Amino acid sequence: MRRLMILAAFAAGVSLCANPPVLAQEKVRLTGSGASFPAPIYLAWFKDFSKKNAIVTVDYQSKGSGAGVQDFLNKTVDFAASDSAMNKEDIAKVAEGVQLLPMTAGEIVLAFNLPGNPKGLKLPRDVYSNIFLGKITRWNDPKIAAANPGMTLPDLPITVVVRADSSGTTAVFTKHLSAINEDFKKTLGEGNTVNWPASDKFIKSPKNDGVTATVRQTPGAIGYIEYGFAKLAKVDFALLQNKAGQYVVPSAESGAEALAAVKMPEDLVAWLPDPDGAKSYPITSYTWMIFRKKNADPAKAKAMREMIEYGLTDGQKIADSMGYIPLPAVVVEQVRKAAANIK
Amino acid sequence: MNKPFVVPVKLDSICQPPSSMVLLVDRAFRALARLGVIVILVLLAALVFEIGGKAIPGIQKYGLDFITGNVWDVNQHKFGILPAIWGTLYSALIALLIGGFFGISMAIFLTQDFLPPRLAAVFRTIVELLAAIPSVVYGLWGIYVVIPAIRPLTDWLHHSFGWIPFFGTTLSGPGLLPAALVLAIMILPTIAAVSQDALSAVPLKTKQAAHGMGTTHWEAILQVIVPAASTGIFGALVLGLGRALGETMALAMLIGNSNQISLSLFSPANTLAALLALNFPEAGPNEIEVLMYAALILMLITLSVNIAGSLIMAYAKRGNKK
């Protein structure tokens, strides 16, 4: 009996000693939510990251930038993602401090549907901004014809397809239009949703898929969608005139040119409403992940830093193939340095 | 040879007072049913309370202007849902006209001996399968099949009869007509199934009596059987209308979500359910309260439709008995 008790005590001691290493091996689960625009690449990252780093799993819910920031403020998630960064009032609400990190970037293209599928449609700045203001309403408008000599443009009304749901894509797109067209800024402004002109030639469709499907099914339609999506869906998209007056086709290169044209500030929030540079694609934007500077659980903070490092190294390599723009090397360095603030 | 008729069972063996087990089961079932009713009522009350409570700030801020306004501009804090109310009622009404006509015709066709019973059962199952198709699939089908299919017809109607307000604009893709057509197909199984039940419930004797009076097959159907089943058929229409008013996803994809009031069938329009579904996911606190207000209005509309339906049915029943 006595021997048994000693054994039991010994066993208990062993199990106590064995506990700390078991704790260190405990799984870390990170949860995040937010922007739907970078969701495909984030999900690909997190899947691969969890495979390489067995003790960390990352769950990401793509529910929209606004909802992500809301979840972050309510402390229901460890990190958030947003296409429109985070405004000052919201940042002030977080006692632990906020670290915004640009993780990838994307472009918005104007997809169109014209009979005969003409390639290389060129749209000048004042034309495409006025199409979305409802001021240019027909495809054979002299201004469009002037930019596309030799192209036969049909006598069709322009059906403008915009996003029906609140979206970071709309925010980036209207920010650009407001920057290049004073009238647009005054009447519509910028935001996740704007009050598009009420006309029977303005159609609102939900999500990128809805806009793409509607553009495809409507002769004479034009709509804005994300570059990655347009690439997958194989729709025709227009060459847009940039600030330097050049017509640029959306691609990873023209996007990278646009990113390089803007210097990343200290707080890592850089907007490119109308980038300089002859080769820059005009509608390009960063998208951010949002973290707390002070985290209660050091294991989680460490896992988040590892996740960011993965995104900056392996993650950037798949960006191009998924229709996103890899971050410039300078920005990667800046983000890496700032990630050390997450503790 | 004739034996007297003998009752094969002993009377005393079947006529027992209910055992305590039977009583217990009976009592338990009754309690369970009562609990179910209470839970449903509490749930409904909680729903109304929750939505109403969250809508109060919106109601105070925007009041009746919210119902009569026709601008939805989040950036300028202007909210109005008149176009959405108009679109909800207009699309549901057209869907009810089309879906009701085909649904009732189908029910007559399937119940009044036009087909061999087995074939009728097959058709019935096919119609009921329509109810199992997800809303999103209907939406995609509408975009890829219905819109291209009706485009030539709508173009012709607009060019030839453009002076009629219903055909006043060209169809630019999503719009009221494609949305209403798909909606009609979506409410068809409900209307067809409930009308079939109503028509099958007409006693065979009534039918035989009608034929005995010398009526033709069609006279019997239109003047005797359908009127006899009218309350049930009307109930089917009310159910269908309720479904049409609340349908969300397919309409969000097909109606064009444009805040304008137009009689034209080819114009894009908006509905309350689509407005709610599309704006909720990213709504900020200011927008939540007006969306809750809009949800409250939608609930009021469906509630009043149902009450009106029940009242008319009750009135018709009383009329029948006289």
Side-chain angles (χ1 to χ4, degrees):
Chain A
M1 186 63 203
R2 215 180 137 187
R3 199 192 283 169
L4 240 175
M5 273 171 75
I6 291 170
L7 252 177
F10 184 70
V14 165
S15 65
L16 269 179
C17 291
N19 255 349
V22 166
L23 263 181
Q25 278 301 309
E26 203 171 319
K27 288 216 162 194
V28 181
R29 210 175 132 217
L30 299 176
T31 52
S33 72
S36 54
F37 155 56
I41 191 170
Y42 285 174
L43 291 174
W45 286 2
F46 298 154
K47 201 175 157 196
D48 193 45
F49 174 68
S50 298
K51 214 184 279 168
K52 287 181 178 157
N53 202 335
I55 61 159
V56 184
T57 50
V58 188
D59 293 325
Y60 182 73
Q61 265 190 48
S62 108
K63 40 159 88 163
S65 302
V69 170
Q70 209 59 47
D71 282 352
F72 187 76
L73 292 175
N74 295 339
K75 299 193 174 176
T76 49
V77 291
D78 298 311
F79 68 94
S82 164
D83 297 333
S84 42
M86 194 170 172
N87 62 35
K88 289 205 171 68
E89 296 92 75
D90 283 344
I91 291 179
K93 284 183 204 160
V94 184
E96 295 93 342
V98 173
Q99 183 64 56
L100 285 152
L101 301 176
M103 294 307 289
T104 186
E107 291 156 299
I108 292 167
V109 305
L110 294 186
F112 63 91
N113 177 347
L114 284 178
N117 299 319
K119 293 277 173 259
L121 176 76
K122 290 174 182 162
L123 292 178
R125 291 154 79 79
D126 60 327
V127 168
Y128 66 79
S129 56
N130 276 322
I131 287 177
F132 281 87
L133 260 179
K135 285 189 177 163
I136 292 181
T137 55
R138 296 197 82 81
W139 279 107
N140 55 358
D141 191 281
K143 279 185 175 165
I144 305 180
N148 296 281
M151 192 182 278
T152 42
L153 291 158
D155 181 18
L156 262 182
I158 302 179
T159 302
V160 182
V161 187
V162 298
R163 285 283 287 265
D165 50 328
S166 171
S167 153
T169 311
T170 306
V172 171
F173 185 59
T174 51
K175 198 185 242 317
H176 169 70
L177 291 183
S178 294
I180 65 168
N181 189 324
E182 200 50 43
D183 230 12
F184 193 94
K185 192 175 179 180
K186 257 185 253 154
T187 52
L188 270 72
E190 53 183 87
N192 281 346
T193 54
V194 295
N195 185 26
W196 297 103
S199 136
D200 63 303
K201 291 297 162 215
F202 269 72
I203 303 265
K204 294 186 194 163
S205 282
K207 309 272 171 196
N208 273 297
D209 332 36
V211 173
T212 312
T214 307
V215 168
R216 275 197 161 165
Q217 290 303 319
T218 312
I222 188 166
Y224 59 92
I225 48 179
E226 286 144 15
Y227 169 61
F229 206 90
K231 212 171 143 180
L232 275 178
K234 296 199 168 62
V235 286
D236 292 325
F237 39 76
L239 280 72
L240 301 186
Q241 190 182 32
N242 65 14
K243 201 176 185 178
Q246 302 296 316
Y247 290 96
V248 185
V249 70
S251 68
E253 292 80 48
S254 60
E257 288 282 341
L259 295 186
V262 174
K263 198 179 172 298
M264 185 58 83
E266 259 327 278
D267 62 355
L268 299 179
V269 180
W271 294 109
L272 315 77
D274 193 19
D276 296 309
K279 292 179 192 162
S280 300
Y281 184 72
I283 322 176
T284 310
S285 179
Y286 284 108
T287 176
W288 289 266
M289 280 194 195
I290 305 169
F291 298 91
R292 288 183 196 90
K293 280 185 178 167
K294 284 189 207 111
N295 289 281
D297 185 351
K300 272 192 177 177
K302 182 168 170 280
M304 283 193 270
R305 287 196 302 270
E306 284 168 359
M307 174 187 93
I308 295 160
E309 184 56 34
Y310 171 87
L312 293 176
T313 50
D314 294 354
Q316 298 300 317
K317 286 175 198 156
I318 60 164
D320 188 11
S321 65
M322 292 193 71
Y324 297 87
I325 310 165
L327 297 176
V330 195
V331 177
V332 169
E333 264 329 297
Q334 277 176 292
V335 173
R336 184 170 286 144
K337 211 189 276 172
N341 292 336
I342 302 166
K343 280 168 190 146
Chain B
M1 289 300 282
N2 277 346
K3 282 182 186 169
F5 182 70
V6 181
V7 179
V9 282
K10 291 174 196 161
L11 277 173
D12 57 356
S13 72
I14 54 163
C15 293
Q16 281 171 347
S19 69
S20 56
M21 188 61 196
V22 169
L23 276 179
L24 194 73
V25 168
D26 188 50
R27 209 167 288 161
F29 180 75
R30 216 179 287 180
L32 204 68
R34 204 167 288 166
L35 189 75
V37 171
I38 291 170
V39 166
I40 290 172
L41 285 179
V42 167
L43 213 61
L44 190 68
L47 206 73
V48 173
F49 182 74
E50 180 77 12
I51 294 178
K54 285 195 177 159
I56 285 174
I59 297 173
Q60 283 168 343
K61 241 182 261 176
Y62 300 99
L64 284 178
D65 290 346
F66 184 67
I67 300 171
T68 54
N70 52 11
V71 176
W72 186 278
D73 189 339
V74 182
N75 301 335
Q76 294 185 19
H77 297 285
K78 276 188 195 159
F79 300 101
I81 54 165
L82 192 61
I85 295 177
W86 164 259
T88 306
L89 294 175
Y90 198 16
S91 62
L93 205 68
I94 296 173
L96 189 69
L97 283 178
I98 303 171
F101 176 74
F102 284 104
I104 295 171
S105 313
M106 216 175 267
I108 293 175
F109 182 63
L110 292 179
T111 51
Q112 300 306 315
D113 311 324
F114 286 98
L115 288 177
R118 277 201 190 163
L119 203 58
V122 171
F123 274 106
R124 205 167 300 153
T125 318
I126 292 174
V127 173
E128 272 156 26
L129 274 181
L130 283 177
I133 298 174
S135 195
V136 179
V137 176
Y138 273 114
L140 286 174
W141 179 74
I143 290 180
Y144 286 108
V145 180
V146 175
I147 292 175
I150 62 171
R151 194 187 296 283
L153 178 70
T154 60
D155 283 350
W156 178 77
L157 279 173
H158 173 66
H159 285 299
S160 316
F161 302 101
W163 47 272
I164 303 175
F166 296 118
F167 310 131
T169 56
T170 51
L171 181 80
S172 31
L176 198 72
L177 186 65
L181 282 177
V182 170
L183 203 52
I185 296 171
M186 293 179 80
I187 63 173
L188 192 71
T190 314
I191 295 181
V194 180
S195 312
Q196 275 174 43
D197 290 345
L199 287 169
S200 317
V202 174
L204 192 63
K205 277 182 192 164
T206 312
K207 207 160 144 187
Q208 286 168 341
H211 284 298
M213 301 270 291
T215 61
T216 64
H217 197 37
W218 276 108
E219 279 169 350
I221 290 172
L222 292 178
Q223 289 171 19
V224 176
I225 297 166
V226 171
S230 60
T231 38
I233 292 176
F234 189 77
L237 292 177
V238 171
L239 268 181
L241 185 61
R243 168 123 205 245
L245 289 171
E247 175 49 44
T248 310
M249 206 51 224
L251 278 187
M253 296 166 83
L254 283 170
I255 195 128
N257 305 298
S258 173
N259 268 330
Q260 49 171 349
I261 300 175
S262 161
L263 262 184
S264 172
L265 294 171
F266 309 148
S267 274
N270 206 352
T271 74
L272 282 169
L275 180 86
L276 291 171
L278 292 170
N279 287 292
F280 250 116
E282 292 220 13
N286 301 330
E287 218 184 336
I288 294 261
E289 59 196 36
V290 288
L291 287 172
M292 287 294 183
Y293 191 179
L296 206 63
I297 302 282
L298 180 60
M299 268 168 66
L300 274 179
I301 291 177
T302 36
L303 188 71
S304 40
V305 163
N306 275 310
I307 289 178
S310 314
L311 282 180
I312 295 175
M313 260 198 281
Y315 183 76
K317 252 183 207 161
R318 222 186 307 147
N320 276 356
K321 273 178 193 160
K322 268 178 196 170

